[in-house]
Amino acid sequence: MRRVSISNIRVYNADAHFASIISCIPGHEIEDIRLNDITIYYREMDSAFDAIQAMVPENEKQYPEPAKMGILPAYGFFIRHARNLRFDKVTVAYLGKEVWPAFVIEAAKQISLYRVYAKPVAGVASFVLRAVKDFTLQDSAPFLKQTGKDNKRGVVLKLGAFNSGKLSCYITRG
């Protein structure tokens, strides 16, 4: 799949078992995707949090039904085998309790996030990146936090097993 643009979407009470999924099988990347002006609120998880898997199996031979992927390890977006994705003015949040990061991105290239907001989860990184090349986060002020008495701003960004490529991170007030 390539050259898809989705804009002006509002979702409230989305199923917490399934993050928004942008994923394909190895060797067949999803390319040139644009998401613009999207807001998604996920309802509280009604399953045990220990049922959430940390790693999602590929299951290449099964029909790409989200339920076959199990409960995903991200509450907002699970992205795998994708290239040239651009998010602009995208918001993800949860209603109730949450224990997983907003974004899990695996085996992806050229991921650009502009003016993105993800409701933070206490003690959990907002982003987990595995085998990601050319990742940019820009003008996403919610990922800044006050640190110490001097009120300097710091980046709330954790790189999981970021094992290839370069990271470009430009954080400015939006």
Side-chain angles (χ1 to χ4, degrees):
M1 181 185 321
R2 61 178 64 136
R3 292 185 290 281
V4 174
S5 180
I6 301 172
S7 298
N8 303 315
I9 303 289
R10 303 290 175 271
V11 178
Y12 186 82
N13 210 26
D15 190 342
H17 293 94
F18 310 109
S20 295
I21 302 168
I22 300 173
S23 181
C24 205
I25 61 173
H28 300 276
E29 295 176 328
I30 295 175
E31 302 177 40
D32 305 324
I33 306 295
R34 303 290 179 263
L35 300 181
N36 183 53
D37 193 23
I38 295 175
T39 301
I40 305 170
Y41 287 91
Y42 293 89
R43 68 177 172 250
E44 187 167 5
M45 176 74 70
D46 60 1
S47 296
F49 283 111
D50 61 0
I52 302 170
Q53 56 197 344
M55 299 296 292
V56 179
E58 293 284 353
N59 293 331
E60 298 173 39
K61 296 187 180 359
Q62 293 185 2
Y63 181 78
E65 166 63 35
K68 298 199 187 255
M69 297 178 87
I71 301 174
L72 297 171
Y75 80 80
F77 280 88
F78 177 78
I79 300 167
R80 179 164 61 188
H81 305 303
R83 183 176 68 183
N84 194 20
L85 269 64
R86 181 183 170 102
F87 288 29
D88 191 358
K89 227 172 109 183
V90 173
T91 297
V92 292
Y94 52 89
L95 307 167
K97 186 177 180 196
E98 185 54 66
V99 297
W100 288 99
F103 289 82
V104 171
I105 306 172
E106 300 178 349
K109 302 173 203 157
Q110 301 166 327
I111 308 298
S112 301
L113 307 179
Y114 299 94
R115 299 184 295 175
V116 169
Y117 173 79
K119 184 177 178 181
V121 176
V124 176
S126 293
F127 296 87
V128 173
L129 307 178
R130 296 184 188 104
V132 174
K133 294 181 182 180
D134 299 323
F135 176 85
T136 303
L137 175 66
Q138 186 173 355
D139 294 335
S140 297
F143 296 105
L144 301 175
K145 67 176 183 178
Q146 297 292 333
T147 57
K149 293 180 182 178
D150 57 2
N151 289 330
K152 288 185 179 177
R153 300 229 174 220
V155 177
V156 179
L157 177 66
K158 178 180 177 184
L159 305 177
F162 182 78
N163 55 16
S164 61
K166 71 176 191 178
L167 172 71
S168 300
C169 189
Y170 307 101
I171 308 287
T172 60
R173 293 183 186 176

